[in-house]
Short mmCIF file of all heavy atoms in Angstrom, two decimals:
data_model
loop_
_atom_site.label_atom_id
_atom_site.label_comp_id
_atom_site.label_asym_id
_atom_site.label_seq_id
_atom_site.Cartn_x
_atom_site.Cartn_y
_atom_site.Cartn_z
N TYR F 199 15.77 -3.02 -10.27
CA TYR F 199 14.34 -3.27 -10.39
C TYR F 199 13.87 -3.56 -11.81
O TYR F 199 12.72 -3.91 -12.02
CB TYR F 199 13.53 -2.10 -9.81
CG TYR F 199 13.69 -0.78 -10.51
CD1 TYR F 199 12.90 -0.44 -11.59
CD2 TYR F 199 14.62 0.15 -10.07
CE1 TYR F 199 13.04 0.77 -12.22
CE2 TYR F 199 14.77 1.36 -10.69
CZ TYR F 199 13.96 1.68 -11.77
OH TYR F 199 14.11 2.88 -12.39
N ASP F 206 8.45 -14.67 -17.70
CA ASP F 206 7.88 -14.16 -16.45
C ASP F 206 6.37 -14.01 -16.59
O ASP F 206 5.84 -12.91 -16.63
CB ASP F 206 8.53 -12.83 -16.09
CG ASP F 206 8.47 -12.56 -14.59
OD1 ASP F 206 7.86 -13.37 -13.88
OD2 ASP F 206 9.04 -11.57 -14.15
N SER F 224 10.23 7.58 -12.65
CA SER F 224 10.45 6.33 -11.94
C SER F 224 11.91 6.23 -11.48
O SER F 224 12.19 5.86 -10.35
CB SER F 224 10.09 5.14 -12.83
OG SER F 224 10.16 3.94 -12.13
N PHE F 266 13.42 -10.48 2.74
CA PHE F 266 12.87 -9.68 1.65
C PHE F 266 13.45 -8.27 1.61
O PHE F 266 13.81 -7.70 2.64
CB PHE F 266 11.35 -9.59 1.79
CG PHE F 266 10.63 -10.88 1.56
CD1 PHE F 266 9.95 -11.52 2.59
CD2 PHE F 266 10.65 -11.48 0.30
CE1 PHE F 266 9.30 -12.72 2.37
CE2 PHE F 266 9.99 -12.68 0.08
CZ PHE F 266 9.31 -13.30 1.12
N PRO F 279 10.89 13.14 15.54
CA PRO F 279 9.93 12.03 15.73
C PRO F 279 9.63 11.34 14.41
O PRO F 279 9.57 11.99 13.36
CB PRO F 279 8.69 12.73 16.29
CG PRO F 279 9.19 14.00 16.89
CD PRO F 279 10.35 14.43 16.05
N LEU F 283 4.53 6.32 6.74
CA LEU F 283 3.45 6.55 5.79
C LEU F 283 3.22 5.27 4.99
O LEU F 283 4.10 4.82 4.26
CB LEU F 283 3.82 7.70 4.85
CG LEU F 283 4.18 9.03 5.53
CD1 LEU F 283 4.72 10.03 4.51
CD2 LEU F 283 2.96 9.61 6.26
N HIS F 285 1.06 3.13 2.22
CA HIS F 285 0.14 3.29 1.08
C HIS F 285 -0.97 2.23 1.10
O HIS F 285 -0.92 1.24 1.81
CB HIS F 285 0.91 3.23 -0.24
CG HIS F 285 1.45 1.89 -0.62
ND1 HIS F 285 0.66 0.89 -1.15
CD2 HIS F 285 2.71 1.37 -0.57
CE1 HIS F 285 1.39 -0.17 -1.42
NE2 HIS F 285 2.64 0.07 -1.07
N PRO F 288 -4.67 -0.74 -4.53
CA PRO F 288 -3.27 -0.94 -4.93
C PRO F 288 -2.61 0.42 -5.16
O PRO F 288 -3.19 1.30 -5.78
CB PRO F 288 -3.40 -1.70 -6.25
CG PRO F 288 -4.69 -1.17 -6.84
CD PRO F 288 -5.58 -0.75 -5.68
N ALA F 291 4.50 3.65 -2.51
CA ALA F 291 5.01 4.72 -1.66
C ALA F 291 5.03 6.05 -2.41
O ALA F 291 4.94 7.12 -1.80
CB ALA F 291 6.43 4.36 -1.18
N SER F 302 8.81 16.95 6.41
CA SER F 302 10.25 16.77 6.63
C SER F 302 10.89 17.78 7.56
O SER F 302 11.95 17.51 8.13
CB SER F 302 10.98 16.78 5.28
OG SER F 302 10.83 18.03 4.64
N ASP F 343 10.35 -2.93 12.94
CA ASP F 343 11.50 -3.22 13.80
C ASP F 343 12.81 -2.79 13.14
O ASP F 343 13.76 -2.39 13.81
CB ASP F 343 11.56 -4.72 14.14
CG ASP F 343 10.48 -5.15 15.11
OD1 ASP F 343 9.86 -4.26 15.75
OD2 ASP F 343 10.23 -6.36 15.23
N GLY F 356 -6.47 3.49 3.14
CA GLY F 356 -7.21 2.49 2.39
C GLY F 356 -7.25 1.10 2.98
O GLY F 356 -7.28 0.91 4.20
N GLU F 368 -1.33 -4.75 19.04
CA GLU F 368 -0.35 -5.59 19.74
C GLU F 368 0.90 -4.82 20.13
O GLU F 368 1.77 -5.36 20.81
CB GLU F 368 0.01 -6.78 18.85
CG GLU F 368 -1.18 -7.67 18.53
CD GLU F 368 -0.87 -8.70 17.47
OE1 GLU F 368 0.26 -8.68 16.93
OE2 GLU F 368 -1.77 -9.51 17.15
N HIS F 387 -18.24 -1.53 3.71
CA HIS F 387 -16.90 -1.46 3.13
C HIS F 387 -16.24 -2.82 2.95
O HIS F 387 -15.12 -2.90 2.45
CB HIS F 387 -15.99 -0.59 4.01
CG HIS F 387 -16.43 0.82 4.15
ND1 HIS F 387 -15.97 1.66 5.15
CD2 HIS F 387 -17.30 1.56 3.40
CE1 HIS F 387 -16.53 2.85 5.02
NE2 HIS F 387 -17.34 2.81 3.98
N LYS F 389 -16.84 -5.31 1.05
CA LYS F 389 -16.79 -5.88 -0.29
C LYS F 389 -15.95 -4.99 -1.20
O LYS F 389 -16.18 -3.79 -1.30
CB LYS F 389 -18.21 -6.01 -0.86
CG LYS F 389 -18.27 -6.72 -2.20
CD LYS F 389 -19.72 -6.87 -2.67
CE LYS F 389 -19.80 -7.58 -4.02
NZ LYS F 389 -21.19 -7.73 -4.49
N ASP F 409 -2.43 -6.33 -17.02
CA ASP F 409 -2.68 -5.17 -17.88
C ASP F 409 -2.30 -3.91 -17.11
O ASP F 409 -2.98 -3.52 -16.16
CB ASP F 409 -4.16 -5.14 -18.26
CG ASP F 409 -4.52 -3.96 -19.16
OD1 ASP F 409 -3.68 -3.04 -19.30
OD2 ASP F 409 -5.63 -3.96 -19.71
N GLU F 429 3.36 11.69 -16.45
CA GLU F 429 4.65 11.39 -15.84
C GLU F 429 4.50 10.58 -14.55
O GLU F 429 5.35 9.77 -14.20
CB GLU F 429 5.44 12.67 -15.57
CG GLU F 429 4.75 13.64 -14.62
CD GLU F 429 5.52 14.93 -14.45
OE1 GLU F 429 6.46 15.18 -15.24
OE2 GLU F 429 5.19 15.70 -13.52
N ARG F 467 -12.88 -2.81 13.89
CA ARG F 467 -13.93 -2.09 14.60
C ARG F 467 -13.93 -2.46 16.08
O ARG F 467 -14.08 -1.60 16.95
CB ARG F 467 -15.30 -2.42 13.99
CG ARG F 467 -15.51 -1.81 12.60
CD ARG F 467 -16.78 -2.37 11.95
NE ARG F 467 -17.96 -2.11 12.77
CZ ARG F 467 -18.67 -1.00 12.71
NH1 ARG F 467 -18.32 -0.04 11.86
NH2 ARG F 467 -19.74 -0.83 13.46
N ILE F 469 -11.40 -3.59 17.86
CA ILE F 469 -10.19 -3.04 18.49
C ILE F 469 -10.37 -1.56 18.80
O ILE F 469 -10.09 -1.10 19.92
CB ILE F 469 -8.96 -3.26 17.59
CG1 ILE F 469 -8.58 -4.74 17.55
CG2 ILE F 469 -7.77 -2.43 18.08
CD1 ILE F 469 -7.54 -5.09 16.50
N LEU F 470 -10.84 -0.79 17.81
CA LEU F 470 -10.98 0.65 17.99
C LEU F 470 -12.07 1.00 19.00
O LEU F 470 -12.08 2.10 19.56
CB LEU F 470 -11.30 1.32 16.65
CG LEU F 470 -10.20 1.24 15.58
CD1 LEU F 470 -10.67 1.88 14.28
CD2 LEU F 470 -8.92 1.91 16.06
N ARG F 530 -0.70 19.01 11.85
CA ARG F 530 -1.56 19.59 12.88
C ARG F 530 -2.02 18.53 13.88
O ARG F 530 -2.07 18.75 15.10
CB ARG F 530 -2.78 20.29 12.26
CG ARG F 530 -2.44 21.57 11.51
CD ARG F 530 -3.67 22.43 11.30
NE ARG F 530 -4.68 21.76 10.49
CZ ARG F 530 -4.74 21.84 9.17
NH1 ARG F 530 -3.83 22.54 8.51
NH2 ARG F 530 -5.70 21.24 8.50
N ILE F 531 -2.36 17.35 13.36
CA ILE F 531 -2.82 16.26 14.24
C ILE F 531 -1.70 15.84 15.18
O ILE F 531 -1.91 15.68 16.40
CB ILE F 531 -3.27 15.06 13.39
CG1 ILE F 531 -4.56 15.39 12.63
CG2 ILE F 531 -3.48 13.83 14.28
CD1 ILE F 531 -4.95 14.34 11.61
#
Side-chain angles (χ1 to χ4, degrees):
Y199 64 87
D206 205 356
S224 186
F266 292 114
L283 304 172
H285 72 78
S302 63
D343 288 345
E368 298 170 357
H387 298 163
K389 186 177 180 180
D409 180 347
E429 60 183 12
R467 289 170 59 87
I469 290 170
L470 295 177
R530 289 198 298 270
I531 291 171

